[in-house]
Amino acid sequence: MPLIWSVTGEGLEYLIGGVDAAMNGSHVATVLDAINRRDALLIIGCSKAKTTGGQALTPEAKTIWPGPMLRARADVLARSKVEGRYQLPAWRRYSGHFYRNVGDALGEAISNGRTLILSGGYGVVRGDEPIAYYDRKLKLRDWPPGLLERTLVDETLRVGATKVIGFVSASGDYAKLLRKTSWGTAGINATLVTIDWHTGGAQIEVPRRLAQAFSAWWNRTPADYPAGMIAEPLR
């Protein structure tokens, strides 16, 4: 069974086969810090809340992905609510609780050029990729089988990364997509960071804590990792 690292309210621990075992916090920090923030590919989720407006849409924005991905996008967007006249960089388009709380870390990561966003309307987008305003939740059944998984692996290899770290909600299709992707077959070491949250207010608290986890990892401040954070190696 996979080794799952967890941050509790009392400190850091790991879980093996559902059995908790106390662990030195510095060990867990070492595991995450081994993922070099500037060499790894980062993956985050989109948000329902979005910023409207932007700049006039340009045709060039449609030519940066392979044909199968562009055709699938066109099909999904044709069945979605889209305001296609204006575009914004993807990381500026989204305005949910993760994006409101992540601070400067996300902008720095975007500037590094190795950040992908999982999107209900676009499938997979680069962090600085111009996108229109749309309203659609990510549903894997909307996309051709295996397309998003292949896109994630191909993009990781394209940028020359051998490690991936994803920060997404444990529920829904975001984490499911990352778990379905055959990272190990491609020689990629992937880690999924989620939040274990079972009380009320999850729609606010989970993305807020994911933002805190992202910022703490990017800034190398492990003392700031939130309670409930789980780091799961993917195969």
Side-chain angles (χ1 to χ4, degrees):
M1 299 186 71
L3 179 67
I4 300 178
W5 306 96
S6 174
V7 181
T8 70
E10 301 299 323
L12 296 152
E13 63 181 21
Y14 66 88
L15 314 174
I16 304 180
V19 179
D20 292 10
M23 166 161 276
N24 187 299
S26 62
H27 192 166
V28 177
T30 298
V31 169
L32 292 183
D33 285 351
I35 305 172
N36 187 293
R37 64 179 186 169
R38 298 199 179 274
D39 292 340
L41 182 78
L42 317 184
I43 301 176
I44 58 178
C46 63
S47 69
K48 180 175 177 59
K50 299 176 183 68
T51 300
T52 58
Q55 297 180 334
L57 191 65
T58 59
E60 290 79 5
K62 301 179 181 179
T63 62
I64 60 177
W65 292 98
M69 178 54 130
L70 295 180
R71 289 190 291 273
R73 278 186 178 182
D75 178 66
V76 171
L77 289 171
R79 295 180 280 118
S80 309
K81 177 183 177 182
V82 180
E83 173 48 75
R85 294 177 298 170
Y86 302 103
Q87 60 185 6
L88 279 174
W91 75 288
R92 296 285 193 187
R93 176 64 72 192
Y94 301 112
S95 58
H97 294 286
F98 176 92
Y99 293 86
R100 296 177 208 168
N101 288 279
V102 74
D104 295 336
L106 181 57
E108 294 177 12
I110 297 297
S111 297
N112 192 49
R114 293 185 172 209
T115 302
L116 297 179
I117 301 176
L118 304 181
S119 161
Y122 288 80
V124 177
V125 295
R126 299 183 180 106
D128 59 354
E129 181 179 345
I131 64 172
Y133 179 95
Y134 70 92
D135 184 14
R136 193 174 192 89
K137 185 177 181 179
L138 178 66
K139 298 177 181 178
L140 296 183
R141 65 175 180 268
D142 286 341
W143 301 85
L147 175 64
L148 298 184
E149 294 91 329
R150 290 193 302 272
T151 300
L152 291 175
V153 169
D154 289 348
E155 183 67 4
T156 304
L157 299 176
R158 186 190 72 83
V159 301
T162 58
K163 293 187 178 182
V164 166
I165 183 167
F167 295 81
V168 300
S169 170
S171 62
D173 283 1
Y174 301 94
K176 184 184 296 184
L177 171 59
L178 296 186
R179 291 185 177 117
K180 287 180 61 180
T181 301
S182 299
W183 303 107
T185 303
I188 299 167
N189 186 325
T191 301
L192 171 61
V193 177
T194 59
I195 301 296
D196 184 28
W197 188 261
H198 300 287
T199 57
Q203 290 184 336
I204 295 175
E205 198 61 31
V206 168
R208 187 188 72 79
R209 291 185 182 226
L210 280 172
Q212 184 180 346
F214 183 100
S215 296
W217 173 76
W218 182 265
N219 294 320
R220 290 296 187 261
T221 55
D224 293 331
Y225 285 140
M229 186 188 82
I230 292 177
E232 172 189 347
L234 302 177
R235 302 185 184 278

